[in-house]
Amino acid sequence: MAKKTSGTGTPATVALTAAGISFTPHSYEHDPATTNYGMEAATVLGVSPERVFKTLMADVAGTLTVAIVPVNGSLDLKALASARGQKKAAMADPAAAQRRTGYVLGGISPLGQRQPSPTVLDESALLCETIFVSGGRRGFDVELSPADLLALTKGTTAAIGTAKN
């Protein structure tokens, strides 16, 4: 992967560049009628959905927490709570998630957030050499190694995703 140093200008790419992390930007034309942003990215970019991850915000015992799971599955809130040493979690209020991250829904990146939050990446990401996450706007993903994502977010891994049938 080549390190991208200019041209995209999102807080995510600025954070990646500042940290010296190699990544590949992937822009595509976002269809405004689409609400499943992650599956749209996988389809348009021609990438297996197991390698494209969505960034979700959850409230775990009063702490906004970033949960990153494959787009072809869903977040197991109980597993997320357990990964954070708590008993319960709920999806965060969308407005609170946008305020905390500085990103709009469908474009929330786990990188370069306005206020960083504890981050948990589904352990399935470790099976991939590289994964795709939102680059900070709809129609823009960045490809990077799971290890680099964890290093930059100071994240942990756990089995927090569930496959959809």
Side-chain angles (χ1 to χ4, degrees):
M1 284 181 292
K3 182 166 62 173
K4 183 73 174 176
T5 56
S6 63
T8 53
T10 68
T13 60
V14 169
L16 286 162
T17 301
I21 292 176
S22 293
F23 68 98
T24 303
H26 295 274
S27 293
Y28 59 92
E29 190 67 35
H30 165 64
D31 177 356
T34 298
T35 56
N36 190 333
Y37 307 106
M39 284 303 289
E40 176 190 38
T43 300
V44 173
L45 296 174
V47 178
S48 169
E50 292 82 18
R51 290 185 56 214
V52 181
F53 285 70
K54 56 188 169 186
T55 305
L56 303 170
M57 296 295 292
D59 183 328
V60 180
T63 300
L64 284 181
T65 302
V66 176
I68 308 167
V69 297
V71 300
N72 63 339
S74 58
L75 173 62
D76 180 337
L77 288 165
K78 190 169 186 167
L80 176 64
S82 178
R84 297 287 305 142
Q86 300 296 325
K87 292 184 181 185
K88 291 170 61 177
M91 293 305 297
D93 172 68
Q98 291 181 120
R99 276 191 309 274
R100 175 92 182 184
T101 64
Y103 294 116
V104 298
L105 294 181
I108 293 179
S109 176
L111 305 161
Q113 294 187 356
R114 183 178 291 150
Q115 294 176 280
S117 298
T119 300
V120 182
L121 174 64
D122 184 68
E123 66 186 13
S124 67
L126 301 178
L127 301 174
C128 305
E129 184 176 330
T130 61
I131 61 171
F132 293 69
V133 296
S134 174
R137 66 174 179 262
R138 295 173 187 160
F140 179 60
D141 275 24
V142 292
E143 180 182 2
L144 74 165
S145 78
D148 285 340
L149 175 64
L150 289 167
L152 192 55
T153 61
K154 297 178 178 56
T156 60
T157 59
I160 60 167
T162 59
K164 286 186 181 170
N165 297 333

PDB file of all heavy atoms in Angstrom, residues 72-98:
ATOM      1  N   ASN A  72     -21.265  -7.275   6.692  1.00  0.00           N
ATOM      2  CA  ASN A  72     -22.241  -8.328   6.413  1.00  0.00           C
ATOM      3  C   ASN A  72     -22.754  -8.974   7.700  1.00  0.00           C
ATOM      4  O   ASN A  72     -23.385 -10.021   7.658  1.00  0.00           O
ATOM      5  CB  ASN A  72     -21.650  -9.390   5.487  1.00  0.00           C
ATOM      6  CG  ASN A  72     -20.465 -10.110   6.097  1.00  0.00           C
ATOM      7  OD1 ASN A  72     -19.823  -9.611   7.018  1.00  0.00           O
ATOM      8  ND2 ASN A  72     -20.164 -11.283   5.582  1.00  0.00           N
ATOM      9  N   GLY A  73     -22.521  -8.350   8.815  1.00  0.00           N
ATOM     10  CA  GLY A  73     -22.998  -8.852  10.094  1.00  0.00           C
ATOM     11  C   GLY A  73     -23.567  -7.736  10.941  1.00  0.00           C
ATOM     12  O   GLY A  73     -23.859  -6.648  10.451  1.00  0.00           O
ATOM     13  N   SER A  74     -23.723  -8.014  12.214  1.00  0.00           N
ATOM     14  CA  SER A  74     -24.241  -7.001  13.124  1.00  0.00           C
ATOM     15  C   SER A  74     -23.427  -7.019  14.413  1.00  0.00           C
ATOM     16  O   SER A  74     -22.643  -7.926  14.663  1.00  0.00           O
ATOM     17  CB  SER A  74     -25.731  -7.233  13.404  1.00  0.00           C
ATOM     18  OG  SER A  74     -25.929  -8.510  13.951  1.00  0.00           O
ATOM     19  N   LEU A  75     -23.638  -6.004  15.217  1.00  0.00           N
ATOM     20  CA  LEU A  75     -22.937  -5.864  16.480  1.00  0.00           C
ATOM     21  C   LEU A  75     -23.671  -6.623  17.569  1.00  0.00           C
ATOM     22  O   LEU A  75     -24.881  -6.465  17.743  1.00  0.00           O
ATOM     23  CB  LEU A  75     -22.841  -4.377  16.847  1.00  0.00           C
ATOM     24  CG  LEU A  75     -22.281  -4.041  18.227  1.00  0.00           C
ATOM     25  CD1 LEU A  75     -20.845  -4.529  18.383  1.00  0.00           C
ATOM     26  CD2 LEU A  75     -22.358  -2.529  18.460  1.00  0.00           C
ATOM     27  N   ASP A  76     -22.942  -7.434  18.313  1.00  0.00           N
ATOM     28  CA  ASP A  76     -23.472  -8.132  19.477  1.00  0.00           C
ATOM     29  C   ASP A  76     -23.205  -7.221  20.681  1.00  0.00           C
ATOM     30  O   ASP A  76     -22.082  -7.156  21.181  1.00  0.00           O
ATOM     31  CB  ASP A  76     -22.770  -9.484  19.625  1.00  0.00           C
ATOM     32  CG  ASP A  76     -23.261 -10.288  20.827  1.00  0.00           C
ATOM     33  OD1 ASP A  76     -23.791  -9.691  21.793  1.00  0.00           O
ATOM     34  OD2 ASP A  76     -23.086 -11.518  20.806  1.00  0.00           O
ATOM     35  N   LEU A  77     -24.239  -6.514  21.105  1.00  0.00           N
ATOM     36  CA  LEU A  77     -24.078  -5.528  22.181  1.00  0.00           C
ATOM     37  C   LEU A  77     -23.635  -6.171  23.487  1.00  0.00           C
ATOM     38  O   LEU A  77     -22.828  -5.594  24.215  1.00  0.00           O
ATOM     39  CB  LEU A  77     -25.370  -4.741  22.380  1.00  0.00           C
ATOM     40  CG  LEU A  77     -25.688  -3.734  21.270  1.00  0.00           C
ATOM     41  CD1 LEU A  77     -27.133  -3.284  21.363  1.00  0.00           C
ATOM     42  CD2 LEU A  77     -24.740  -2.547  21.342  1.00  0.00           C
ATOM     43  N   LYS A  78     -24.131  -7.355  23.781  1.00  0.00           N
ATOM     44  CA  LYS A  78     -23.735  -8.033  25.020  1.00  0.00           C
ATOM     45  C   LYS A  78     -22.246  -8.390  24.982  1.00  0.00           C
ATOM     46  O   LYS A  78     -21.527  -8.230  25.965  1.00  0.00           O
ATOM     47  CB  LYS A  78     -24.588  -9.279  25.233  1.00  0.00           C
ATOM     48  CG  LYS A  78     -24.412  -9.897  26.583  1.00  0.00           C
ATOM     49  CD  LYS A  78     -25.453 -10.965  26.844  1.00  0.00           C
ATOM     50  CE  LYS A  78     -25.306 -11.443  28.282  1.00  0.00           C
ATOM     51  NZ  LYS A  78     -26.423 -12.231  28.717  1.00  0.00           N
ATOM     52  N   ALA A  79     -21.771  -8.848  23.820  1.00  0.00           N
ATOM     53  CA  ALA A  79     -20.346  -9.184  23.672  1.00  0.00           C
ATOM     54  C   ALA A  79     -19.484  -7.925  23.779  1.00  0.00           C
ATOM     55  O   ALA A  79     -18.395  -7.959  24.355  1.00  0.00           O
ATOM     56  CB  ALA A  79     -20.104  -9.883  22.340  1.00  0.00           C
ATOM     57  N   LEU A  80     -19.979  -6.802  23.228  1.00  0.00           N
ATOM     58  CA  LEU A  80     -19.241  -5.541  23.340  1.00  0.00           C
ATOM     59  C   LEU A  80     -19.139  -5.120  24.802  1.00  0.00           C
ATOM     60  O   LEU A  80     -18.059  -4.743  25.271  1.00  0.00           O
ATOM     61  CB  LEU A  80     -19.906  -4.437  22.507  1.00  0.00           C
ATOM     62  CG  LEU A  80     -19.261  -3.061  22.641  1.00  0.00           C
ATOM     63  CD1 LEU A  80     -17.827  -3.052  22.102  1.00  0.00           C
ATOM     64  CD2 LEU A  80     -20.110  -2.008  21.931  1.00  0.00           C
ATOM     65  N   ALA A  81     -20.247  -5.190  25.514  1.00  0.00           N
ATOM     66  CA  ALA A  81     -20.234  -4.830  26.938  1.00  0.00           C
ATOM     67  C   ALA A  81     -19.234  -5.705  27.684  1.00  0.00           C
ATOM     68  O   ALA A  81     -18.417  -5.205  28.476  1.00  0.00           O
ATOM     69  CB  ALA A  81     -21.632  -4.978  27.534  1.00  0.00           C
ATOM     70  N   SER A  82     -19.262  -6.998  27.424  1.00  0.00           N
ATOM     71  CA  SER A  82     -18.348  -7.924  28.080  1.00  0.00           C
ATOM     72  C   SER A  82     -16.889  -7.591  27.753  1.00  0.00           C
ATOM     73  O   SER A  82     -16.028  -7.624  28.633  1.00  0.00           O
ATOM     74  CB  SER A  82     -18.681  -9.355  27.650  1.00  0.00           C
ATOM     75  OG  SER A  82     -17.788 -10.260  28.235  1.00  0.00           O
ATOM     76  N   ALA A  83     -16.632  -7.244  26.496  1.00  0.00           N
ATOM     77  CA  ALA A  83     -15.268  -6.887  26.085  1.00  0.00           C
ATOM     78  C   ALA A  83     -14.764  -5.658  26.822  1.00  0.00           C
ATOM     79  O   ALA A  83     -13.561  -5.480  27.004  1.00  0.00           O
ATOM     80  CB  ALA A  83     -15.219  -6.655  24.571  1.00  0.00           C
ATOM     81  N   ARG A  84     -15.690  -4.814  27.254  1.00  0.00           N
ATOM     82  CA  ARG A  84     -15.331  -3.595  27.984  1.00  0.00           C
ATOM     83  C   ARG A  84     -15.490  -3.782  29.498  1.00  0.00           C
ATOM     84  O   ARG A  84     -15.437  -2.818  30.258  1.00  0.00           O
ATOM     85  CB  ARG A  84     -16.190  -2.415  27.509  1.00  0.00           C
ATOM     86  CG  ARG A  84     -16.011  -2.040  26.053  1.00  0.00           C
ATOM     87  CD  ARG A  84     -14.705  -1.333  25.744  1.00  0.00           C
ATOM     88  NE  ARG A  84     -14.576  -0.176  26.589  1.00  0.00           N
ATOM     89  CZ  ARG A  84     -13.440   0.247  27.139  1.00  0.00           C
ATOM     90  NH1 ARG A  84     -12.319  -0.391  26.914  1.00  0.00           N
ATOM     91  NH2 ARG A  84     -13.414   1.308  27.900  1.00  0.00           N
ATOM     92  N   GLY A  85     -15.728  -5.013  29.931  1.00  0.00           N
ATOM     93  CA  GLY A  85     -15.840  -5.293  31.364  1.00  0.00           C
ATOM     94  C   GLY A  85     -17.144  -4.827  31.973  1.00  0.00           C
ATOM     95  O   GLY A  85     -17.213  -4.557  33.178  1.00  0.00           O
ATOM     96  N   GLN A  86     -18.182  -4.750  31.151  1.00  0.00           N
ATOM     97  CA  GLN A  86     -19.485  -4.280  31.619  1.00  0.00           C
ATOM     98  C   GLN A  86     -20.554  -5.326  31.321  1.00  0.00           C
ATOM     99  O   GLN A  86     -20.290  -6.312  30.636  1.00  0.00           O
ATOM    100  CB  GLN A  86     -19.837  -2.942  30.942  1.00  0.00           C
ATOM    101  CG  GLN A  86     -18.841  -1.829  31.205  1.00  0.00           C
ATOM    102  CD  GLN A  86     -18.776  -1.429  32.672  1.00  0.00           C
ATOM    103  OE1 GLN A  86     -19.783  -1.437  33.379  1.00  0.00           O
ATOM    104  NE2 GLN A  86     -17.579  -1.096  33.137  1.00  0.00           N
ATOM    105  N   LYS A  87     -21.774  -5.072  31.795  1.00  0.00           N
ATOM    106  CA  LYS A  87     -22.855  -6.035  31.595  1.00  0.00           C
ATOM    107  C   LYS A  87     -23.785  -5.671  30.448  1.00  0.00           C
ATOM    108  O   LYS A  87     -24.375  -6.555  29.839  1.00  0.00           O
ATOM    109  CB  LYS A  87     -23.670  -6.177  32.883  1.00  0.00           C
ATOM    110  CG  LYS A  87     -22.880  -6.832  33.987  1.00  0.00           C
ATOM    111  CD  LYS A  87     -23.718  -7.059  35.207  1.00  0.00           C
ATOM    112  CE  LYS A  87     -22.849  -7.705  36.268  1.00  0.00           C
ATOM    113  NZ  LYS A  87     -23.560  -8.070  37.457  1.00  0.00           N
ATOM    114  N   LYS A  88     -23.953  -4.372  30.184  1.00  0.00           N
ATOM    115  CA  LYS A  88     -24.919  -3.962  29.168  1.00  0.00           C
ATOM    116  C   LYS A  88     -24.358  -2.862  28.290  1.00  0.00           C
ATOM    117  O   LYS A  88     -23.555  -2.044  28.726  1.00  0.00           O
ATOM    118  CB  LYS A  88     -26.212  -3.465  29.827  1.00  0.00           C
ATOM    119  CG  LYS A  88     -27.010  -4.571  30.503  1.00  0.00           C
ATOM    120  CD  LYS A  88     -28.153  -4.051  31.350  1.00  0.00           C
ATOM    121  CE  LYS A  88     -29.168  -3.281  30.552  1.00  0.00           C
ATOM    122  NZ  LYS A  88     -30.316  -2.840  31.351  1.00  0.00           N
ATOM    123  N   ALA A  89     -24.846  -2.871  27.039  1.00  0.00           N
ATOM    124  CA  ALA A  89     -24.514  -1.806  26.093  1.00  0.00           C
ATOM    125  C   ALA A  89     -25.749  -1.550  25.244  1.00  0.00           C
ATOM    126  O   ALA A  89     -26.597  -2.424  25.083  1.00  0.00           O
ATOM    127  CB  ALA A  89     -23.336  -2.207  25.209  1.00  0.00           C
ATOM    128  N   ALA A  90     -25.833  -0.355  24.717  1.00  0.00           N
ATOM    129  CA  ALA A  90     -26.930   0.013  23.821  1.00  0.00           C
ATOM    130  C   ALA A  90     -26.351   0.879  22.707  1.00  0.00           C
ATOM    131  O   ALA A  90     -25.299   1.508  22.892  1.00  0.00           O
ATOM    132  CB  ALA A  90     -28.000   0.801  24.585  1.00  0.00           C
ATOM    133  N   MET A  91     -27.016   0.889  21.591  1.00  0.00           N
ATOM    134  CA  MET A  91     -26.557   1.757  20.508  1.00  0.00           C
ATOM    135  C   MET A  91     -26.613   3.206  20.988  1.00  0.00           C
ATOM    136  O   MET A  91     -27.536   3.603  21.693  1.00  0.00           O
ATOM    137  CB  MET A  91     -27.420   1.570  19.255  1.00  0.00           C
ATOM    138  CG  MET A  91     -27.254   0.188  18.618  1.00  0.00           C
ATOM    139  SD  MET A  91     -25.541  -0.254  18.229  1.00  0.00           S
ATOM    140  CE  MET A  91     -25.126   0.994  17.023  1.00  0.00           C
ATOM    141  N   ALA A  92     -25.618   3.980  20.606  1.00  0.00           N
ATOM    142  CA  ALA A  92     -25.549   5.387  21.009  1.00  0.00           C
ATOM    143  C   ALA A  92     -26.588   6.203  20.252  1.00  0.00           C
ATOM    144  O   ALA A  92     -26.980   5.847  19.132  1.00  0.00           O
ATOM    145  CB  ALA A  92     -24.155   5.936  20.732  1.00  0.00           C
ATOM    146  N   ASP A  93     -27.005   7.280  20.857  1.00  0.00           N
ATOM    147  CA  ASP A  93     -27.872   8.228  20.184  1.00  0.00           C
ATOM    148  C   ASP A  93     -27.120   8.746  18.953  1.00  0.00           C
ATOM    149  O   ASP A  93     -25.956   9.169  19.080  1.00  0.00           O
ATOM    150  CB  ASP A  93     -28.204   9.377  21.146  1.00  0.00           C
ATOM    151  CG  ASP A  93     -28.949  10.484  20.446  1.00  0.00           C
ATOM    152  OD1 ASP A  93     -30.105  10.266  20.048  1.00  0.00           O
ATOM    153  OD2 ASP A  93     -28.350  11.573  20.291  1.00  0.00           O
ATOM    154  N   PRO A  94     -27.738   8.712  17.767  1.00  0.00           N
ATOM    155  CA  PRO A  94     -27.039   9.150  16.558  1.00  0.00           C
ATOM    156  C   PRO A  94     -26.475  10.572  16.650  1.00  0.00           C
ATOM    157  O   PRO A  94     -25.347  10.821  16.211  1.00  0.00           O
ATOM    158  CB  PRO A  94     -28.112   9.060  15.464  1.00  0.00           C
ATOM    159  CG  PRO A  94     -29.058   8.011  15.965  1.00  0.00           C
ATOM    160  CD  PRO A  94     -29.074   8.182  17.459  1.00  0.00           C
ATOM    161  N   ALA A  95     -27.221  11.487  17.254  1.00  0.00           N
ATOM    162  CA  ALA A  95     -26.729  12.868  17.387  1.00  0.00           C
ATOM    163  C   ALA A  95     -25.502  12.913  18.293  1.00  0.00           C
ATOM    164  O   ALA A  95     -24.543  13.652  18.019  1.00  0.00           O
ATOM    165  CB  ALA A  95     -27.833  13.778  17.921  1.00  0.00           C
ATOM    166  N   ALA A  96     -25.511  12.135  19.365  1.00  0.00           N
ATOM    167  CA  ALA A  96     -24.359  12.092  20.275  1.00  0.00           C
ATOM    168  C   ALA A  96     -23.150  11.501  19.557  1.00  0.00           C
ATOM    169  O   ALA A  96     -22.017  11.978  19.731  1.00  0.00           O
ATOM    170  CB  ALA A  96     -24.691  11.274  21.521  1.00  0.00           C
ATOM    171  N   ALA A  97     -23.375  10.472  18.739  1.00  0.00           N
ATOM    172  CA  ALA A  97     -22.278   9.860  17.981  1.00  0.00           C
ATOM    173  C   ALA A  97     -21.667  10.870  17.014  1.00  0.00           C
ATOM    174  O   ALA A  97     -20.438  10.965  16.894  1.00  0.00           O
ATOM    175  CB  ALA A  97     -22.784   8.629  17.222  1.00  0.00           C
ATOM    176  N   GLN A  98     -22.507  11.633  16.337  1.00  0.00           N
ATOM    177  CA  GLN A  98     -22.005  12.632  15.391  1.00  0.00           C
ATOM    178  C   GLN A  98     -21.236  13.747  16.110  1.00  0.00           C
ATOM    179  O   GLN A  98     -20.180  14.173  15.650  1.00  0.00           O
ATOM    180  CB  GLN A  98     -23.156  13.204  14.554  1.00  0.00           C
ATOM    181  CG  GLN A  98     -23.730  12.173  13.603  1.00  0.00           C
ATOM    182  CD  GLN A  98     -24.856  12.707  12.746  1.00  0.00           C
ATOM    183  OE1 GLN A  98     -24.748  12.704  11.536  1.00  0.00           O
ATOM    184  NE2 GLN A  98     -25.940  13.163  13.371  1.00  0.00           N
TER     185      GLN A  98
END
